[in-house]
């Protein structure tokens, strides 16, 4: 179960009072900008409704919660379209078929439609049929950043849950609770127009990029004799052995590609110096080492062996 986001409190109150009055709608439109937690809300709401012993939140312990968390709950569906692709009528027919199945566990059958604005007209019409005569147990959660693109007929049959960017101090303190420094949090929020989840994701991307650079700098230093294999093993261990080996495997693959296609990469000269045969051999060595890490052998020794074999 993901933690509820603090700026969603008013929306949770709205849902709680509908539940108390047994007046939950059959369809909600979760509308708002990217990165404010619409998917988090939808997922938490679905788990709460499917939970066999819910209180204010899902219990996280029952069979239903367990199935939900591993993504195999039979009364729950997600419709996700690939970026740039529409949601076609076939996906919507599958959803109608899902609602016609017998419920396996609780009182609800729940489908979440991500990027609902990507529905084709035909898909929207098929959805309308479900919205006009929803089975008693059906709950549809439509998520959209551009709800104005949805047909009015669809929108008018959904109850609106409006998500907005939280107040700056709320967003800041949440990002700090996620481990960001104040300056960084402020900077990222500026770039994402105050959307906290996007601000956090931005940091993860930056982190990934800077870790990758550290790993590759270390490997280049090894090849130029500026670093000793054992030192490199020790420093990469701190960045996560498996992650480091995977990055290095990709790096070698990039070098092989650059030799094979005459496409320059940052390390083409180094690639020529090592040569294709040895590069391929080292990629195989890295794959083996990555598998060895899974069997929990000594990580440091595995890294040391790899880097010793490179010099
Ligand atoms: Zn539960």
């Amino acid at each position: 179960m993901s933690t509820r986001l603090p700026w969603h409190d008013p929306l949770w109150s709205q849902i709680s009072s509908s539940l108390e009055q047994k007046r939950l709608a059959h369809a909600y439109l979760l509308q708002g900008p990217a990165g404010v937690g619409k998917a988090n809300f939808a997922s938490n709401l679905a788990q709460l409704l499917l939970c066999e012993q819910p209180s204010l939140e899902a219990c996280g312990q029952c069979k239903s919660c367990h199935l939900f968390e591993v993504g195999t709950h039979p009364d729950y569906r997600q419709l996700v379209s690939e970026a740039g692709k529409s949601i076609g009528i076939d996906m919507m027919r599958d959803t109608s078929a899902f609602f016609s199945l017998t419920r396996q566990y609780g009182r609800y059958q729940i489908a979440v439609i991500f990027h609902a604005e990507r529905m084709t007209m035909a898909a929207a019409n098929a959805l309308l049929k479900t919205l006009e005569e929803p089975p008693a147990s059906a709950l549809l959660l439509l998520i959209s950043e551009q709800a104005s693109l949805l047909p009015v007929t669809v929108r008018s049959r959904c109850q609106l849950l409006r998500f907005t960017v939280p107040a700056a101090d709320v967003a800041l303190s949440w990002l700090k609770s996620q481990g960001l420094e104040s300056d960084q949090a402020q900077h990222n929020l500026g770039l994402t127009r105050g959307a906290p989840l996007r601000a956090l994701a931005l940091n993860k991307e930056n982190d990934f990029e800077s870790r990758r650079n550290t790993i590759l700098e270390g490997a280049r230093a090894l090849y130029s004799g500026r670093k000793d294999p054992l030192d490199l093993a020790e420093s990469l261990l701190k960045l996560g052995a498996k992650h480091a080996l995977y990055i290095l495997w990709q790096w070698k693959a990039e070098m092989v590609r650059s030799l094979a296609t005459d496409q320059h990469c940052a390390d083409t000269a180094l690639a020529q110096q090592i040569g294709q045969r040895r590069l391929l051999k080292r990629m195989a060595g890295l794959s083996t080492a990555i598998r060895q890490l899974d069997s929990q052998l000594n990580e440091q020794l595995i890294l040391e062996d790899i880097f010793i074999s490179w010099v």
Side-chain angles (χ1 to χ4, degrees), residues 51-52 59-60 62 65:
C51 177
E52 290 161 33
C59 74
C62 68
C65 279

Side-chain angles (χ1 to χ4, degrees), residues 179-194:
L180 262 67
E181 299 291 335
S182 195
D183 288 355
Q184 189 72 57
Q186 220 142 18
H187 175 75
N188 289 9
L189 280 172
L191 291 175
T192 63
R193 294 188 187 158

Side-chain angles (χ1 to χ4, degrees), residues 111-146:
V112 180
I113 305 178
F114 290 84
H115 297 288
E117 74 281 353
R118 292 184 188 160
M119 271 186 284
T120 61
M121 214 47 195
N125 285 332
L127 175 67
L128 263 182
K129 291 205 183 98
T130 309
L131 289 175
E132 278 162 358
E133 290 171 30
S137 61
L139 176 66
L140 270 156
L141 302 173
L142 277 65
I143 298 183
S144 182
E145 287 160 30
Q146 294 165 290

Side-chain angles (χ1 to χ4, degrees), residues 197-215:
L197 274 74
R198 283 185 66 203
L200 183 64
L202 210 58
N203 229 58
K204 287 189 176 147
E205 284 161 26
N206 287 342
D207 255 19
F208 180 84
E209 207 40 47
S210 87
R211 280 213 308 257
R212 184 175 187 275
N213 286 335
T214 309
I215 292 164

Side-chain angles (χ1 to χ4, degrees), residues 47-48 50-54 57-66 69:
Q47 186 173 356
L48 171 69
L50 294 170
C51 177
E52 290 161 33
Q53 37 199 323
E57 295 189 21
C59 74
Q61 308 289 329
C62 68
K63 175 123 199 238
S64 199
C65 279
H66 177 68
E69 283 173 11

Side-chain angles (χ1 to χ4, degrees), residues 53-265:
Q53 37 199 323
S55 55
L56 280 175
E57 295 189 21
C59 74
Q61 308 289 329
C62 68
K63 175 123 199 238
S64 199
C65 279
H66 177 68
L67 289 171
F68 187 87
E69 283 173 11
V70 296
T72 55
H73 199 296
D75 300 330
Y76 180 68
R77 283 284 189 288
Q78 289 190 338
L79 268 83
V80 188
S81 61
E82 286 170 46
K85 295 214 170 135
S86 53
I87 298 175
I89 186 150
D90 289 350
M91 282 172 100
M92 211 49 78
R93 281 197 185 121
D94 286 347
T95 309
S96 314
F98 160 69
F99 282 124
S100 69
L101 297 171
T102 312
R103 292 191 304 286
Q104 303 287 311
Y105 286 92
R107 292 161 294 149
Y108 294 96
Q109 283 171 305
I110 304 174
V112 180
I113 305 178
F114 290 84
H115 297 288
E117 74 281 353
R118 292 184 188 160
M119 271 186 284
T120 61
M121 214 47 195
N125 285 332
L127 175 67
L128 263 182
K129 291 205 183 98
T130 309
L131 289 175
E132 278 162 358
E133 290 171 30
S137 61
L139 176 66
L140 270 156
L141 302 173
L142 277 65
I143 298 183
S144 182
E145 287 160 30
Q146 294 165 290
S148 58
L149 298 178
L150 281 166
V152 180
T153 44
V154 169
R155 267 188 287 156
S156 64
R157 283 177 174 80
C158 298
Q159 200 162 316
L160 184 64
L161 292 173
R162 199 187 294 277
F163 288 72
T164 52
V165 165
D169 57 330
V170 176
L172 266 178
S173 77
W174 182 77
L175 283 171
K176 279 195 232 165
S177 77
Q178 301 298 307
L180 262 67
E181 299 291 335
S182 195
D183 288 355
Q184 189 72 57
Q186 220 142 18
H187 175 75
N188 289 9
L189 280 172
L191 291 175
T192 63
R193 294 188 187 158
L197 274 74
R198 283 185 66 203
L200 183 64
L202 210 58
N203 229 58
K204 287 189 176 147
E205 284 161 26
N206 287 342
D207 255 19
F208 180 84
E209 207 40 47
S210 87
R211 280 213 308 257
R212 184 175 187 275
N213 286 335
T214 309
I215 292 164
L216 297 191
E217 273 317 310
R220 288 178 189 126
L222 175 74
Y223 277 117
S224 64
R226 285 176 289 128
K227 208 169 182 97
D228 168 74
L230 304 187
D231 287 347
L232 181 61
E234 197 182 338
S235 60
L236 294 197
L237 197 60
K238 291 182 199 130
L239 295 172
K242 197 167 180 175
H243 175 70
L245 293 186
Y246 187 63
I247 295 289
L248 289 170
W249 186 92
Q250 286 182 323
W251 182 54
K252 301 276 181 201
E254 204 177 295
M255 286 200 266
V256 170
R257 238 189 336 267
S258 120
L259 290 182
T261 61
D262 280 337
Q263 255 177 13
H264 258 270
C265 74

